[in-house]
Amino acid sequence: MRYALKIAIRYLTANTAQTALLVTGVAVGVFIFIFMSALIGGLAEFILSRTVGDLSHITIEAEDRDPAVLIDAPGHVLAAIERGTTRTATLADAETWLPLIEGVPGVRAVSPQITGAGFLTRGAQVAQVSVTGVVPGRESAILDLQGYIVEGSALTGSGLIVLGRDLADDLALSLGQTVRLQSSGGITALLTLSGVFETGSGAMDGARAFVSLSLARTLFAMPQGVTRIEIKLDDLNAADATAQRIRALTGLDAVPWTDGAEQLMEALNAQAQTGYVLKTFALITIVIGVASALMLSTFRRRPEIGIMRAMGAGRSFVVFVFVTQGALIGLLGGITGAALGYLALLPFPSREAFEPGTLPMDITQGSYGLAITLTVIGAILASILPARAASRVDPVTAIGQ
Amino acid sequence: MSTLLETRDLVKTYGTGEAATRVLRGLSLRLEAGEMAALLGPSGAGKSTLLTILGTLMKPTSGQYEMLGQDMIAADDRALTEFRNAHIGFVFQFHNLLPDFTALENVIFPAAVRAGRETPAARKRGRVLLERMGLAERIDFPTANLSGGQKQRVAVARALMNAPDLVLADEPTGNLDRASAMQVMDLIGEINREEGTTFLISTHDEKIAARCRRQVGVRDGIVTEEPRLA
């Protein structure tokens, strides 16, 4: 059908102004499609990075032991045993699992931790604190602690403690000064403030303390094992699948971040649905534009179609000429719109550098290929009706026009 | 000479009910291969309708039509399209060229449609035909830049492109001045004599009809006479 292609191209180039206008219309639709893709995708990234970015993507916690049934003889009243408020369960074999978990594809970092509650005392000042013991050197594996450090360093070690800004201020504590930490088990340690962080979250900055894992063992009387393992992934959207894989591999209860984040997921889904609707409207606009332009072209070229039919051109030849025109308009408009969309997105900061107050556009989520493909398909579909109308032109009446 | 086509009792009615108009009323005609015939008759006599049916662009309401031994009434649209492309050429009163194409592109259209591309052989034949029409200098001209006579000669060349057995010409000189009309008729006569192509030419002009060896009269939808003009 090379010849039909030539005719289609000739028809498009015969009226360059009209074709340019048509291609521009399609390009604008594709531009909107790409802009919406980048905005919706970027917004989702932005929201996730702000809400989940600093959290563990997969968390493994020790399962509570089943309470012993104290009275099990028939005819007796059963006693309901409530779980204690202090965690006692441990992942005793954590050391065994860690290399396996680190080897799972997509796992970026693994942080074994011992967590617990305690009190910080400095003079007359006392503050309740949530203590996290981490492996020195892995302080920033999950939460980017070093990134939030405003004074000192995030590095934990023997006799060192890292506190939030609000907590340090409440205790009137400066870098290098000492503070007494008493764990919920009553074990006390005298520690030196080595770093102060500020995340902007009151719960973090006012009640969290980071110490080394070995110090946490001492404080919480846990000579082996850990209380939880936090895992960071390359792609947080892969959390469900990766958690399933870790569960299958280790038998541990690996919980993805999406568990318990249903509302966030619903909001993101709603946002994505909004994006689909807007993109669908953009595509519909393209289809209507191409269809109406080709319908007009069909009407204008009725006498020529009649001549072609009289000269021996079959209906399929005529259909091919007009469908090819639609496809070419879609392709040209798609590529132009995609290029314009890419250029328009270039000035926006990258996804790693989103700043508050600016549109979180993600240039990598422009769906350029999809936009071009859907546009070409849409334009072809749009041209089928005019093409069929053209193929049904009666050569006798058309030539007589 | 062998029979090229034959129609029997062709009837063509336009419209239905009270608005029905019967244009052909049982027209029978036979054309021998290599003939050059004029179709004479007043407006509304049914000449154009007959040419349209003979050109397989329209089917009669009833009657029989065979060309080259094939039943043109029973054939479907695809078969008729292929048959038309291979065996029939058209020359219209208003040339009806494709305006966005050059003279050569117009001429080779029937061959390109058949082959699916513009072959070198088609281009060569197209050039030869245009040169024969006296348009050697206008081969690559857009048709919009040609005069009326030149356009009609391009149309004749196009009709001859696939070396058809029959060329149907509906008032081919009706829109031309006398000199151009005679030039076109000279070319048609030359091709008829040299290549044996059959021509059926509808015309009001008796001087044009006189250039043909046979004259067929049509009135009220039937062949009324076959006058032999000098």
Side-chain angles (χ1 to χ4, degrees), chain A residues 2-3 6 10 14 301 304 307-313 315 396 399, chain B residues 52 77 81 84-85 90 96 99-101 105 109 112-113 116 118 158:
Chain A
R2 248 167 63 184
Y3 191 56
K6 175 183 174 167
R10 183 63 59 86
R301 294 194 183 274
E304 292 170 55
I307 297 163
M308 289 185 196
R309 294 279 290 126
M311 298 299 140
R315 291 185 196 277
V396 179
I399 291 169
Chain B
T52 305
D77 182 74
T81 301
R84 194 161 60 233
N85 179 265
F90 291 92
N96 289 93
D100 296 319
F101 295 78
E105 287 170 333
F109 183 88
V113 159
E118 291 177 340
R158 180 179 63 184

PDB file of all heavy atoms in Angstrom, chain A residues 2-3 6 10 14 301 304 307-313 315 396 399, chain B residues 52 77 81 84-85 90 96 99-101 105 109 112-113 116 118 158:
ATOM      1  N   ARG A   2       2.011   1.141  -0.633  1.00  0.00           N
ATOM      2  CA  ARG A   2       2.910   2.295  -0.702  1.00  0.00           C
ATOM      3  C   ARG A   2       2.248   3.464  -1.421  1.00  0.00           C
ATOM      4  O   ARG A   2       2.448   4.621  -1.072  1.00  0.00           O
ATOM      5  CB  ARG A   2       4.184   1.882  -1.450  1.00  0.00           C
ATOM      6  CG  ARG A   2       5.403   1.840  -0.552  1.00  0.00           C
ATOM      7  CD  ARG A   2       6.543   1.147  -1.218  1.00  0.00           C
ATOM      8  NE  ARG A   2       6.999   1.833  -2.423  1.00  0.00           N
ATOM      9  CZ  ARG A   2       7.958   1.344  -3.211  1.00  0.00           C
ATOM     10  NH1 ARG A   2       8.521   0.195  -2.909  1.00  0.00           N
ATOM     11  NH2 ARG A   2       8.355   1.983  -4.268  1.00  0.00           N
ATOM     12  N   TYR A   3       1.466   3.113  -2.440  1.00  0.00           N
ATOM     13  CA  TYR A   3       0.868   4.174  -3.246  1.00  0.00           C
ATOM     14  C   TYR A   3      -0.204   4.922  -2.451  1.00  0.00           C
ATOM     15  O   TYR A   3      -0.326   6.150  -2.545  1.00  0.00           O
ATOM     16  CB  TYR A   3       0.273   3.573  -4.522  1.00  0.00           C
ATOM     17  CG  TYR A   3      -0.110   4.625  -5.519  1.00  0.00           C
ATOM     18  CD1 TYR A   3       0.821   5.559  -5.971  1.00  0.00           C
ATOM     19  CD2 TYR A   3      -1.406   4.717  -5.998  1.00  0.00           C
ATOM     20  CE1 TYR A   3       0.469   6.545  -6.870  1.00  0.00           C
ATOM     21  CE2 TYR A   3      -1.764   5.696  -6.908  1.00  0.00           C
ATOM     22  CZ  TYR A   3      -0.822   6.605  -7.343  1.00  0.00           C
ATOM     23  OH  TYR A   3      -1.167   7.580  -8.224  1.00  0.00           O
ATOM     24  N   LYS A   6       1.485   7.330  -0.343  1.00  0.00           N
ATOM     25  CA  LYS A   6       1.901   8.522  -1.089  1.00  0.00           C
ATOM     26  C   LYS A   6       0.722   9.499  -1.250  1.00  0.00           C
ATOM     27  O   LYS A   6       0.872  10.705  -1.068  1.00  0.00           O
ATOM     28  CB  LYS A   6       2.425   8.116  -2.473  1.00  0.00           C
ATOM     29  CG  LYS A   6       2.761   9.339  -3.324  1.00  0.00           C
ATOM     30  CD  LYS A   6       3.200   9.009  -4.712  1.00  0.00           C
ATOM     31  CE  LYS A   6       3.366  10.330  -5.503  1.00  0.00           C
ATOM     32  NZ  LYS A   6       4.059  10.162  -6.744  1.00  0.00           N
ATOM     33  N   ARG A  10       0.449  13.223   0.178  1.00  0.00           N
ATOM     34  CA  ARG A  10       0.192  14.332  -0.746  1.00  0.00           C
ATOM     35  C   ARG A  10      -1.010  15.159  -0.279  1.00  0.00           C
ATOM     36  O   ARG A  10      -0.990  16.384  -0.337  1.00  0.00           O
ATOM     37  CB  ARG A  10      -0.052  13.783  -2.154  1.00  0.00           C
ATOM     38  CG  ARG A  10      -0.257  14.846  -3.223  1.00  0.00           C
ATOM     39  CD  ARG A  10       0.980  15.720  -3.398  1.00  0.00           C
ATOM     40  NE  ARG A  10       2.144  14.943  -3.762  1.00  0.00           N
ATOM     41  CZ  ARG A  10       2.465  14.605  -5.011  1.00  0.00           C
ATOM     42  NH1 ARG A  10       1.697  15.004  -6.008  1.00  0.00           N
ATOM     43  NH2 ARG A  10       3.544  13.888  -5.259  1.00  0.00           N
ATOM     44  N   ALA A  14      -0.699  18.972   0.658  1.00  0.00           N
ATOM     45  CA  ALA A  14      -1.344  19.869  -0.307  1.00  0.00           C
ATOM     46  C   ALA A  14      -1.904  21.102   0.398  1.00  0.00           C
ATOM     47  O   ALA A  14      -1.951  22.177  -0.181  1.00  0.00           O
ATOM     48  CB  ALA A  14      -2.469  19.131  -1.032  1.00  0.00           C
ATOM     49  N   ARG A 301     -13.148  16.311  -0.704  1.00  0.00           N
ATOM     50  CA  ARG A 301     -12.483  15.533  -1.754  1.00  0.00           C
ATOM     51  C   ARG A 301     -13.405  14.494  -2.407  1.00  0.00           C
ATOM     52  O   ARG A 301     -12.930  13.575  -3.061  1.00  0.00           O
ATOM     53  CB  ARG A 301     -11.244  14.851  -1.186  1.00  0.00           C
ATOM     54  CG  ARG A 301     -10.160  15.834  -0.765  1.00  0.00           C
ATOM     55  CD  ARG A 301      -8.840  15.164  -0.527  1.00  0.00           C
ATOM     56  NE  ARG A 301      -7.829  16.090  -0.064  1.00  0.00           N
ATOM     57  CZ  ARG A 301      -7.062  16.829  -0.858  1.00  0.00           C
ATOM     58  NH1 ARG A 301      -7.214  16.748  -2.163  1.00  0.00           N
ATOM     59  NH2 ARG A 301      -6.148  17.649  -0.364  1.00  0.00           N
ATOM     60  N   GLU A 304     -12.747  13.855  -6.077  1.00  0.00           N
ATOM     61  CA  GLU A 304     -11.490  13.122  -6.319  1.00  0.00           C
ATOM     62  C   GLU A 304     -11.639  11.649  -5.958  1.00  0.00           C
ATOM     63  O   GLU A 304     -11.088  10.770  -6.637  1.00  0.00           O
ATOM     64  CB  GLU A 304     -10.363  13.729  -5.485  1.00  0.00           C
ATOM     65  CG  GLU A 304      -9.990  15.125  -5.940  1.00  0.00           C
ATOM     66  CD  GLU A 304      -9.066  15.788  -4.963  1.00  0.00           C
ATOM     67  OE1 GLU A 304      -8.014  15.199  -4.657  1.00  0.00           O
ATOM     68  OE2 GLU A 304      -9.395  16.894  -4.499  1.00  0.00           O
ATOM     69  N   ILE A 307     -13.327  10.020  -8.747  1.00  0.00           N
ATOM     70  CA  ILE A 307     -12.410   9.775  -9.881  1.00  0.00           C
ATOM     71  C   ILE A 307     -11.547   8.541  -9.597  1.00  0.00           C
ATOM     72  O   ILE A 307     -11.373   7.668 -10.445  1.00  0.00           O
ATOM     73  CB  ILE A 307     -11.490  11.006 -10.108  1.00  0.00           C
ATOM     74  CG1 ILE A 307     -12.322  12.227 -10.496  1.00  0.00           C
ATOM     75  CG2 ILE A 307     -10.454  10.710 -11.187  1.00  0.00           C
ATOM     76  CD1 ILE A 307     -11.567  13.527 -10.340  1.00  0.00           C
ATOM     77  N   MET A 308     -11.015   8.485  -8.375  1.00  0.00           N
ATOM     78  CA  MET A 308     -10.165   7.329  -8.020  1.00  0.00           C
ATOM     79  C   MET A 308     -10.941   6.025  -8.169  1.00  0.00           C
ATOM     80  O   MET A 308     -10.418   5.042  -8.692  1.00  0.00           O
ATOM     81  CB  MET A 308      -9.681   7.454  -6.568  1.00  0.00           C
ATOM     82  CG  MET A 308      -8.660   8.535  -6.345  1.00  0.00           C
ATOM     83  SD  MET A 308      -8.098   8.456  -4.628  1.00  0.00           S
ATOM     84  CE  MET A 308      -7.320  10.033  -4.480  1.00  0.00           C
ATOM     85  N   ARG A 309     -12.177   6.047  -7.684  1.00  0.00           N
ATOM     86  CA  ARG A 309     -12.989   4.827  -7.782  1.00  0.00           C
ATOM     87  C   ARG A 309     -13.237   4.468  -9.250  1.00  0.00           C
ATOM     88  O   ARG A 309     -13.189   3.296  -9.633  1.00  0.00           O
ATOM     89  CB  ARG A 309     -14.324   5.027  -7.051  1.00  0.00           C
ATOM     90  CG  ARG A 309     -14.203   5.201  -5.550  1.00  0.00           C
ATOM     91  CD  ARG A 309     -14.060   3.897  -4.801  1.00  0.00           C
ATOM     92  NE  ARG A 309     -15.281   3.133  -4.825  1.00  0.00           N
ATOM     93  CZ  ARG A 309     -15.367   1.877  -5.235  1.00  0.00           C
ATOM     94  NH1 ARG A 309     -14.278   1.268  -5.673  1.00  0.00           N
ATOM     95  NH2 ARG A 309     -16.499   1.228  -5.209  1.00  0.00           N
ATOM     96  N   ALA A 310     -13.502   5.504 -10.075  1.00  0.00           N
ATOM     97  CA  ALA A 310     -13.745   5.245 -11.498  1.00  0.00           C
ATOM     98  C   ALA A 310     -12.496   4.687 -12.174  1.00  0.00           C
ATOM     99  O   ALA A 310     -12.579   3.885 -13.106  1.00  0.00           O
ATOM    100  CB  ALA A 310     -14.188   6.535 -12.190  1.00  0.00           C
ATOM    101  N   MET A 311     -11.329   5.111 -11.698  1.00  0.00           N
ATOM    102  CA  MET A 311     -10.065   4.662 -12.306  1.00  0.00           C
ATOM    103  C   MET A 311      -9.647   3.281 -11.796  1.00  0.00           C
ATOM    104  O   MET A 311      -8.574   2.785 -12.139  1.00  0.00           O
ATOM    105  CB  MET A 311      -8.936   5.650 -12.008  1.00  0.00           C
ATOM    106  CG  MET A 311      -9.149   7.031 -12.575  1.00  0.00           C
ATOM    107  SD  MET A 311      -9.273   6.988 -14.351  1.00  0.00           S
ATOM    108  CE  MET A 311     -10.573   8.157 -14.642  1.00  0.00           C
ATOM    109  N   GLY A 312     -10.430   2.700 -10.919  1.00  0.00           N
ATOM    110  CA  GLY A 312     -10.130   1.340 -10.486  1.00  0.00           C
ATOM    111  C   GLY A 312      -9.597   1.223  -9.070  1.00  0.00           C
ATOM    112  O   GLY A 312      -9.108   0.162  -8.680  1.00  0.00           O
ATOM    113  N   ALA A 313      -9.696   2.316  -8.290  1.00  0.00           N
ATOM    114  CA  ALA A 313      -9.276   2.224  -6.885  1.00  0.00           C
ATOM    115  C   ALA A 313     -10.389   1.555  -6.090  1.00  0.00           C
ATOM    116  O   ALA A 313     -11.544   1.987  -6.160  1.00  0.00           O
ATOM    117  CB  ALA A 313      -8.987   3.620  -6.339  1.00  0.00           C
ATOM    118  N   ARG A 315     -12.463   0.090  -2.648  1.00  0.00           N
ATOM    119  CA  ARG A 315     -12.890   0.737  -1.396  1.00  0.00           C
ATOM    120  C   ARG A 315     -11.774   0.675  -0.351  1.00  0.00           C
ATOM    121  O   ARG A 315     -11.559   1.628   0.400  1.00  0.00           O
ATOM    122  CB  ARG A 315     -14.133   0.032  -0.852  1.00  0.00           C
ATOM    123  CG  ARG A 315     -15.379   0.246  -1.690  1.00  0.00           C
ATOM    124  CD  ARG A 315     -16.590  -0.398  -0.998  1.00  0.00           C
ATOM    125  NE  ARG A 315     -17.709  -0.553  -1.903  1.00  0.00           N
ATOM    126  CZ  ARG A 315     -18.581   0.397  -2.200  1.00  0.00           C
ATOM    127  NH1 ARG A 315     -18.453   1.580  -1.656  1.00  0.00           N
ATOM    128  NH2 ARG A 315     -19.576   0.176  -3.028  1.00  0.00           N
ATOM    129  N   VAL A 396     -20.404   8.034  -9.411  1.00  0.00           N
ATOM    130  CA  VAL A 396     -21.226   8.709 -10.428  1.00  0.00           C
ATOM    131  C   VAL A 396     -21.659  10.089  -9.932  1.00  0.00           C
ATOM    132  O   VAL A 396     -21.460  11.106 -10.605  1.00  0.00           O
ATOM    133  CB  VAL A 396     -22.452   7.855 -10.783  1.00  0.00           C
ATOM    134  CG1 VAL A 396     -23.308   8.575 -11.816  1.00  0.00           C
ATOM    135  CG2 VAL A 396     -22.013   6.499 -11.303  1.00  0.00           C
ATOM    136  N   ILE A 399     -18.427  12.445  -9.209  1.00  0.00           N
ATOM    137  CA  ILE A 399     -17.790  13.019 -10.394  1.00  0.00           C
ATOM    138  C   ILE A 399     -18.675  14.118 -10.974  1.00  0.00           C
ATOM    139  O   ILE A 399     -18.187  15.119 -11.483  1.00  0.00           O
ATOM    140  CB  ILE A 399     -17.516  11.915 -11.443  1.00  0.00           C
ATOM    141  CG1 ILE A 399     -16.437  10.979 -10.931  1.00  0.00           C
ATOM    142  CG2 ILE A 399     -17.101  12.515 -12.784  1.00  0.00           C
ATOM    143  CD1 ILE A 399     -16.265   9.717 -11.741  1.00  0.00           C
TER     144      ILE A 399
ATOM    145  N   THR B  52     -22.363   5.304 -18.054  1.00  0.00           N
ATOM    146  CA  THR B  52     -22.087   4.960 -16.649  1.00  0.00           C
ATOM    147  C   THR B  52     -22.279   3.467 -16.405  1.00  0.00           C
ATOM    148  O   THR B  52     -21.488   2.826 -15.714  1.00  0.00           O
ATOM    149  CB  THR B  52     -23.027   5.762 -15.721  1.00  0.00           C
ATOM    150  OG1 THR B  52     -22.871   7.148 -16.029  1.00  0.00           O
ATOM    151  CG2 THR B  52     -22.690   5.542 -14.272  1.00  0.00           C
ATOM    152  N   ASP B  77     -18.843  -5.649  -6.387  1.00  0.00           N
ATOM    153  CA  ASP B  77     -18.135  -4.365  -6.490  1.00  0.00           C
ATOM    154  C   ASP B  77     -16.633  -4.552  -6.685  1.00  0.00           C
ATOM    155  O   ASP B  77     -16.000  -3.866  -7.496  1.00  0.00           O
ATOM    156  CB  ASP B  77     -18.400  -3.524  -5.229  1.00  0.00           C
ATOM    157  CG  ASP B  77     -17.723  -2.170  -5.302  1.00  0.00           C
ATOM    158  OD1 ASP B  77     -18.217  -1.310  -6.050  1.00  0.00           O
ATOM    159  OD2 ASP B  77     -16.678  -1.982  -4.655  1.00  0.00           O
ATOM    160  N   THR B  81     -14.537  -3.359  -9.893  1.00  0.00           N
ATOM    161  CA  THR B  81     -13.456  -2.373  -9.744  1.00  0.00           C
ATOM    162  C   THR B  81     -12.201  -2.860 -10.459  1.00  0.00           C
ATOM    163  O   THR B  81     -11.544  -2.092 -11.186  1.00  0.00           O
ATOM    164  CB  THR B  81     -13.164  -2.147  -8.242  1.00  0.00           C
ATOM    165  OG1 THR B  81     -14.353  -1.676  -7.611  1.00  0.00           O
ATOM    166  CG2 THR B  81     -12.058  -1.122  -8.051  1.00  0.00           C
ATOM    167  N   ARG B  84     -12.800  -2.815 -14.235  1.00  0.00           N
ATOM    168  CA  ARG B  84     -12.782  -1.431 -14.726  1.00  0.00           C
ATOM    169  C   ARG B  84     -11.344  -0.946 -14.877  1.00  0.00           C
ATOM    170  O   ARG B  84     -10.972  -0.328 -15.875  1.00  0.00           O
ATOM    171  CB  ARG B  84     -13.548  -0.565 -13.722  1.00  0.00           C
ATOM    172  CG  ARG B  84     -13.913   0.803 -14.210  1.00  0.00           C
ATOM    173  CD  ARG B  84     -15.037   1.369 -13.356  1.00  0.00           C
ATOM    174  NE  ARG B  84     -14.709   1.498 -11.949  1.00  0.00           N
ATOM    175  CZ  ARG B  84     -15.427   1.005 -10.970  1.00  0.00           C
ATOM    176  NH1 ARG B  84     -16.518   0.329 -11.221  1.00  0.00           N
ATOM    177  NH2 ARG B  84     -15.065   1.180  -9.722  1.00  0.00           N
ATOM    178  N   ASN B  85     -10.544  -1.247 -13.857  1.00  0.00           N
ATOM    179  CA  ASN B  85      -9.145  -0.803 -13.870  1.00  0.00           C
ATOM    180  C   ASN B  85      -8.379  -1.405 -15.045  1.00  0.00           C
ATOM    181  O   ASN B  85      -7.559  -0.738 -15.684  1.00  0.00           O
ATOM    182  CB  ASN B  85      -8.476  -1.184 -12.546  1.00  0.00           C
ATOM    183  CG  ASN B  85      -7.021  -0.778 -12.486  1.00  0.00           C
ATOM    184  OD1 ASN B  85      -6.145  -1.580 -12.790  1.00  0.00           O
ATOM    185  ND2 ASN B  85      -6.762   0.468 -12.138  1.00  0.00           N
ATOM    186  N   PHE B  90     -11.764   6.098 -18.911  1.00  0.00           N
ATOM    187  CA  PHE B  90     -12.800   7.141 -18.933  1.00  0.00           C
ATOM    188  C   PHE B  90     -12.187   8.481 -19.343  1.00  0.00           C
ATOM    189  O   PHE B  90     -11.091   8.839 -18.906  1.00  0.00           O
ATOM    190  CB  PHE B  90     -13.420   7.334 -17.540  1.00  0.00           C
ATOM    191  CG  PHE B  90     -14.245   6.173 -17.084  1.00  0.00           C
ATOM    192  CD1 PHE B  90     -13.678   5.142 -16.339  1.00  0.00           C
ATOM    193  CD2 PHE B  90     -15.602   6.103 -17.372  1.00  0.00           C
ATOM    194  CE1 PHE B  90     -14.432   4.079 -15.897  1.00  0.00           C
ATOM    195  CE2 PHE B  90     -16.367   5.029 -16.943  1.00  0.00           C
ATOM    196  CZ  PHE B  90     -15.783   4.020 -16.207  1.00  0.00           C
ATOM    197  N   ASN B  96     -11.667  16.070 -14.975  1.00  0.00           N
ATOM    198  CA  ASN B  96     -11.653  15.382 -13.679  1.00  0.00           C
ATOM    199  C   ASN B  96     -10.291  14.789 -13.335  1.00  0.00           C
ATOM    200  O   ASN B  96     -10.171  13.595 -13.046  1.00  0.00           O
ATOM    201  CB  ASN B  96     -12.726  14.296 -13.637  1.00  0.00           C
ATOM    202  CG  ASN B  96     -14.118  14.886 -13.569  1.00  0.00           C
ATOM    203  OD1 ASN B  96     -14.760  15.084 -14.591  1.00  0.00           O
ATOM    204  ND2 ASN B  96     -14.566  15.230 -12.391  1.00  0.00           N
ATOM    205  N   PRO B  99      -6.315  17.253  -8.573  1.00  0.00           N
ATOM    206  CA  PRO B  99      -5.703  18.584  -8.601  1.00  0.00           C
ATOM    207  C   PRO B  99      -4.357  18.692  -7.879  1.00  0.00           C
ATOM    208  O   PRO B  99      -3.565  19.573  -8.196  1.00  0.00           O
ATOM    209  CB  PRO B  99      -6.755  19.466  -7.916  1.00  0.00           C
ATOM    210  CG  PRO B  99      -7.601  18.540  -7.117  1.00  0.00           C
ATOM    211  CD  PRO B  99      -7.584  17.237  -7.820  1.00  0.00           C
ATOM    212  N   ASP B 100      -4.102  17.823  -6.916  1.00  0.00           N
ATOM    213  CA  ASP B 100      -2.862  17.948  -6.149  1.00  0.00           C
ATOM    214  C   ASP B 100      -1.721  17.130  -6.750  1.00  0.00           C
ATOM    215  O   ASP B 100      -0.676  16.952  -6.104  1.00  0.00           O
ATOM    216  CB  ASP B 100      -3.098  17.503  -4.700  1.00  0.00           C
ATOM    217  CG  ASP B 100      -4.099  18.404  -4.002  1.00  0.00           C
ATOM    218  OD1 ASP B 100      -4.017  19.626  -4.208  1.00  0.00           O
ATOM    219  OD2 ASP B 100      -4.969  17.891  -3.273  1.00  0.00           O
ATOM    220  N   PHE B 101      -1.922  16.640  -7.962  1.00  0.00           N
ATOM    221  CA  PHE B 101      -0.912  15.784  -8.591  1.00  0.00           C
ATOM    222  C   PHE B 101      -0.456  16.384  -9.913  1.00  0.00           C
ATOM    223  O   PHE B 101      -1.178  17.166 -10.535  1.00  0.00           O
ATOM    224  CB  PHE B 101      -1.488  14.380  -8.812  1.00  0.00           C
ATOM    225  CG  PHE B 101      -1.798  13.665  -7.527  1.00  0.00           C
ATOM    226  CD1 PHE B 101      -2.936  13.962  -6.803  1.00  0.00           C
ATOM    227  CD2 PHE B 101      -0.924  12.729  -7.024  1.00  0.00           C
ATOM    228  CE1 PHE B 101      -3.208  13.319  -5.610  1.00  0.00           C
ATOM    229  CE2 PHE B 101      -1.185  12.079  -5.836  1.00  0.00           C
ATOM    230  CZ  PHE B 101      -2.336  12.376  -5.121  1.00  0.00           C
ATOM    231  N   GLU B 105       1.702  12.092 -12.765  1.00  0.00           N
ATOM    232  CA  GLU B 105       1.102  11.340 -11.653  1.00  0.00           C
ATOM    233  C   GLU B 105      -0.362  11.010 -11.940  1.00  0.00           C
ATOM    234  O   GLU B 105      -0.847   9.937 -11.581  1.00  0.00           O
ATOM    235  CB  GLU B 105       1.217  12.142 -10.353  1.00  0.00           C
ATOM    236  CG  GLU B 105       2.636  12.166  -9.798  1.00  0.00           C
ATOM    237  CD  GLU B 105       2.799  13.143  -8.649  1.00  0.00           C
ATOM    238  OE1 GLU B 105       2.042  14.134  -8.591  1.00  0.00           O
ATOM    239  OE2 GLU B 105       3.704  12.933  -7.827  1.00  0.00           O
ATOM    240  N   PHE B 109      -1.900   7.039 -12.568  1.00  0.00           N
ATOM    241  CA  PHE B 109      -2.739   6.627 -11.434  1.00  0.00           C
ATOM    242  C   PHE B 109      -3.350   5.224 -11.613  1.00  0.00           C
ATOM    243  O   PHE B 109      -3.244   4.382 -10.706  1.00  0.00           O
ATOM    244  CB  PHE B 109      -3.840   7.659 -11.171  1.00  0.00           C
ATOM    245  CG  PHE B 109      -4.698   7.333  -9.991  1.00  0.00           C
ATOM    246  CD1 PHE B 109      -4.344   7.749  -8.708  1.00  0.00           C
ATOM    247  CD2 PHE B 109      -5.846   6.560 -10.122  1.00  0.00           C
ATOM    248  CE1 PHE B 109      -5.114   7.418  -7.618  1.00  0.00           C
ATOM    249  CE2 PHE B 109      -6.623   6.226  -9.031  1.00  0.00           C
ATOM    250  CZ  PHE B 109      -6.259   6.659  -7.772  1.00  0.00           C
ATOM    251  N   ALA B 112      -0.691   2.638 -11.065  1.00  0.00           N
ATOM    252  CA  ALA B 112      -0.156   2.637  -9.699  1.00  0.00           C
ATOM    253  C   ALA B 112      -1.141   2.011  -8.725  1.00  0.00           C
ATOM    254  O   ALA B 112      -0.741   1.299  -7.797  1.00  0.00           O
ATOM    255  CB  ALA B 112       0.183   4.064  -9.286  1.00  0.00           C
ATOM    256  N   VAL B 113      -2.430   2.279  -8.937  1.00  0.00           N
ATOM    257  CA  VAL B 113      -3.451   1.682  -8.068  1.00  0.00           C
ATOM    258  C   VAL B 113      -3.423   0.168  -8.204  1.00  0.00           C
ATOM    259  O   VAL B 113      -3.534  -0.564  -7.223  1.00  0.00           O
ATOM    260  CB  VAL B 113      -4.847   2.240  -8.429  1.00  0.00           C
ATOM    261  CG1 VAL B 113      -5.941   1.314  -7.957  1.00  0.00           C
ATOM    262  CG2 VAL B 113      -5.038   3.598  -7.801  1.00  0.00           C
ATOM    263  N   GLY B 116       0.025  -1.002  -6.713  1.00  0.00           N
ATOM    264  CA  GLY B 116       0.283  -0.612  -5.328  1.00  0.00           C
ATOM    265  C   GLY B 116       1.452   0.339  -5.206  1.00  0.00           C
ATOM    266  O   GLY B 116       1.815   0.751  -4.109  1.00  0.00           O
ATOM    267  N   GLU B 118       4.157   3.246  -7.814  1.00  0.00           N
ATOM    268  CA  GLU B 118       4.464   3.815  -9.132  1.00  0.00           C
ATOM    269  C   GLU B 118       5.701   3.098  -9.670  1.00  0.00           C
ATOM    270  O   GLU B 118       6.820   3.397  -9.273  1.00  0.00           O
ATOM    271  CB  GLU B 118       4.718   5.316  -9.013  1.00  0.00           C
ATOM    272  CG  GLU B 118       3.464   6.107  -8.658  1.00  0.00           C
ATOM    273  CD  GLU B 118       3.739   7.589  -8.480  1.00  0.00           C
ATOM    274  OE1 GLU B 118       4.912   7.949  -8.253  1.00  0.00           O
ATOM    275  OE2 GLU B 118       2.792   8.381  -8.548  1.00  0.00           O
ATOM    276  N   ARG B 158      -4.502   9.410 -19.457  1.00  0.00           N
ATOM    277  CA  ARG B 158      -4.822   8.604 -18.264  1.00  0.00           C
ATOM    278  C   ARG B 158      -5.761   7.451 -18.633  1.00  0.00           C
ATOM    279  O   ARG B 158      -5.581   6.320 -18.148  1.00  0.00           O
ATOM    280  CB  ARG B 158      -5.475   9.491 -17.203  1.00  0.00           C
ATOM    281  CG  ARG B 158      -5.833   8.748 -15.925  1.00  0.00           C
ATOM    282  CD  ARG B 158      -6.456   9.656 -14.898  1.00  0.00           C
ATOM    283  NE  ARG B 158      -7.729  10.217 -15.366  1.00  0.00           N
ATOM    284  CZ  ARG B 158      -8.440  11.104 -14.673  1.00  0.00           C
ATOM    285  NH1 ARG B 158      -7.988  11.538 -13.514  1.00  0.00           N
ATOM    286  NH2 ARG B 158      -9.585  11.554 -15.142  1.00  0.00           N
TER     287      ARG B 158
END
